[in-house]
Amino acid sequence: MKFLHTSDWHLGRTLYGRSRYNEFTAFLDWLHALIETEKVDALLVAGDVFDTSVPGSGVQELYYGFLYRMARSKVCRHVVITAGNHDSPSFLDAPKALLRTLDVHVVGSVGDDPMDEVVVLRDRRGKAEAVVCAVPHLRDRDIRTVGPGESMDEKNRKLIEGIERHYREVCMAAEQRRLQEGGFLPMIAMGHLFTAGGTTVDGDGVREIYAGSLAHVSASVFPEGIDYLALGHLHVPQRVAGEEHLRYSGSPIPMGFGEARQRKEVVLVEFSGGERTITTVQVPCFQQLERISGTLDAITARIFELKASGSTAWLEIEYSGDDLPGDLRGIIDEAVKGSSLEIRRLRNNRVATSAMQRLSEEETLEELSELDVFSRCLDAGQVPDARRPELQQAFQEVLEAFRELEKL
């Protein structure tokens, strides 16, 4: 049986206000073709299907259109989708009964019974061929109780223990089903979390899952009986603790300019005769992103090179020269004129240096995170450094509560 592991599609994501609909369409077309060519039996999507909890109608059409193609496939028999921290559990779960009739299995939220997250995949004759522990993003309230006056260390400990306990219970339930079905069945586990030592890059949008906590799980929380662990959340393809069968597939398209030169891939996992084979397939670049930084001469020289090659790249430009051009934007606009290049962001680092204390006229709010804005408020209020960690943690917890409410 052959599985294809992917995650973090973030359908509906924009880049500095620019729609990426065409990229998502091209990716899903490519993914469909790969599944047919490689004769993939089951597709695993490990969370963050959407970028927001309430995706637009066009984005929903992309999603359901793709699932319809999978249901009509003569090759792919199953699709298993779990929720990520960007997804609304209720939104994903709403059509799950209907999708199940198409062999699309969706787990958006944690149920009362661990067996609710166990999916037995069967061939067209009804014979079991694999068991999947379809664990969605585990929210704080799913895995721990809050005690009065608990310290950060206590909170982190409870989070790790809760995650470990949840995987143990679901895998035990899956083991029971595997024994009931008889014979050897591969056990696949899914998850959407941040593992210790995980790699991220600047501008990828990956945020801490648990507000006010740096609780990153180690590979030891996952039971040994797992034959393959398909993880989502981190956008850089990578192994967990160097283990070949514990993996993040990464995001299929760059989420920001920090990922522009990163190799994107999906993971093929095949079980045959008791043997497991893992290979990766590189995802094509559907929209070139390029970050250009340096002096004005260096920036314009690179732009002219791209123009000469007929590039359609989206550009993030960072000026770091010593001089302050009178009309930086006008000069850059003139340089790209007559080409298919698009400037998605222009940052003057000389101005940005002084903007560390205050917002400059050239700095936009979209360049700041919520925590950046809150820090500016603390600066304006002359809040002592000793009080800031506590206030920042409280702010993050309030912010995460709002995000959870948006998903309901």
Side-chain angles (χ1 to χ4, degrees), residues 306-317:
L306 292 170
K307 284 177 68 173
S309 68
S311 173
T312 59
W314 294 354
L315 306 179
E316 181 183 63
I317 297 174

Side-chain angles (χ1 to χ4, degrees), residues 155-174:
K155 176 180 180 178
N156 289 342
R157 178 180 57 78
K158 285 185 177 181
L159 285 169
I160 299 298
E161 289 176 351
I163 293 170
E164 183 174 14
R165 179 172 59 252
H166 189 86
Y167 270 93
R168 183 172 63 250
E169 291 172 351
V170 174
C171 287
M172 286 176 60

Side-chain angles (χ1 to χ4, degrees), residues 294-312:
T295 64
L296 189 56
D297 287 343
I299 291 169
T300 53
R302 180 56 182 157
I303 289 174
F304 292 143
E305 287 177 4
L306 292 170
K307 284 177 68 173
S309 68
S311 173
T312 59

